[in-house]
Amino acid sequence: YKDIFKKNTNILDAGGNFTFIHHISPHRPMRNKNCEILNNDEKMIFSYKNYKSSVQCVFKRIKEFNEIILNKYPNSIIVIQGDHGPTFEDNKNMGSSKMPNMKYINDRINIFNAAYLPEKCKNDFNESLGTVGTIRLILHCIGDKKIDLDEKSKTFMFFPFEKPSIININSLKF
């Protein structure tokens, strides 16, 4: 991300912008907590130990990135979300629609979701909000009062080796 600011020195100058930055970690190659890529034997292994050190790297980068933004724009709204939860080498079998692997499913839908919000919106953010609910909250916070903050979002999945059918995760029993 530091390269983004070097190449685009005015990226934060305009203000009032929406900027999307995709940070690929903690995907492979795995990193240590100082954000150095692990050695050749370890860098492609998605173990709990490697995941944990890669997440520590991500948190370090998030802190640095937030400081850059908030130093220039202290009233910013910052949203950081994962694309999915982890799958470790020892738990890659998602099961089937008749016998789903609930640990796998629960791990995959357990998505990192964090937000830095203005004071007027902080009380509406909570750990059960979810990624879609967080975006609803942001839109509501910036003025779209038609957004229903209580509407629950649905998460769907399908099992790739079966006849296509979509399953609502909310209906599965954990």
Side-chain angles (χ1 to χ4, degrees):
Y1 69 88
K2 290 179 183 176
D3 290 339
I4 292 170
F5 293 116
K6 287 178 189 170
K7 292 176 187 170
N8 303 293
T9 56
N10 65 345
I11 196 166
L12 294 177
D13 289 343
N17 289 334
F18 170 84
T19 302
F20 175 85
I21 297 174
H22 181 217
H23 188 291
I24 63 165
S25 220
H27 291 97
R28 293 173 182 101
M30 307 310 284
R31 298 171 184 275
N32 66 24
K33 66 181 181 180
N34 297 315
C35 299
E36 299 157 332
I37 294 176
L38 296 177
N39 69 43
N40 283 338
D41 295 337
E42 288 287 313
K43 71 180 181 183
M44 299 310 282
I45 298 174
F46 200 88
S47 65
Y48 178 77
K49 177 183 150 217
N50 293 350
Y51 174 74
K52 183 177 176 182
S53 63
S54 289
V55 167
Q56 289 171 324
C57 165
V58 169
F59 288 161
K60 178 180 179 174
R61 294 293 186 235
I62 288 171
K63 183 176 186 283
E64 292 168 353
F65 188 68
N66 286 349
E67 287 171 358
I68 291 169
I69 293 171
L70 294 173
N71 281 336
K72 183 136 180 135
Y73 297 104
N75 297 322
S76 292
I77 295 173
I78 301 172
V79 178
I80 300 166
Q81 297 180 328
D83 55 347
H84 55 77
T87 301
F88 301 110
E89 298 294 338
D90 63 346
N91 189 32
K92 284 190 168 184
N93 180 8
M94 70 188 307
S96 68
S97 58
K98 292 181 177 46
M99 193 88 152
N101 178 346
M102 296 313 294
K103 178 173 179 4
Y104 173 90
I105 293 169
N106 193 42
D107 286 349
R108 293 301 272 178
I109 64 172
N110 189 12
I111 300 170
F112 181 79
N113 184 43
Y116 180 87
L117 301 168
E119 279 300 319
K120 67 180 181 177
C121 301
K122 283 184 180 178
N123 291 338
D124 293 322
F125 188 80
N126 62 69
E127 66 182 47
S128 66
L129 199 55
T131 53
V132 175
T134 298
I135 300 305
R136 280 193 189 108
L137 172 59
I138 299 303
L139 294 172
H140 188 267
C141 184
I142 63 173
D144 189 344
K145 302 303 178 198
K146 295 177 283 185
I147 299 285
D148 181 4
L149 294 179
D150 294 323
E151 182 180 340
K152 298 294 178 211
S153 60
K154 295 175 178 58
T155 303
F156 294 96
M157 69 172 289
F158 67 95
F159 292 89
F161 301 109
E162 297 182 13
K163 179 181 164 194
S165 67
I166 296 175
I167 297 167
N168 182 350
I169 295 292
N170 299 327
S171 66
L172 295 174
K173 302 292 183 234
F174 288 97

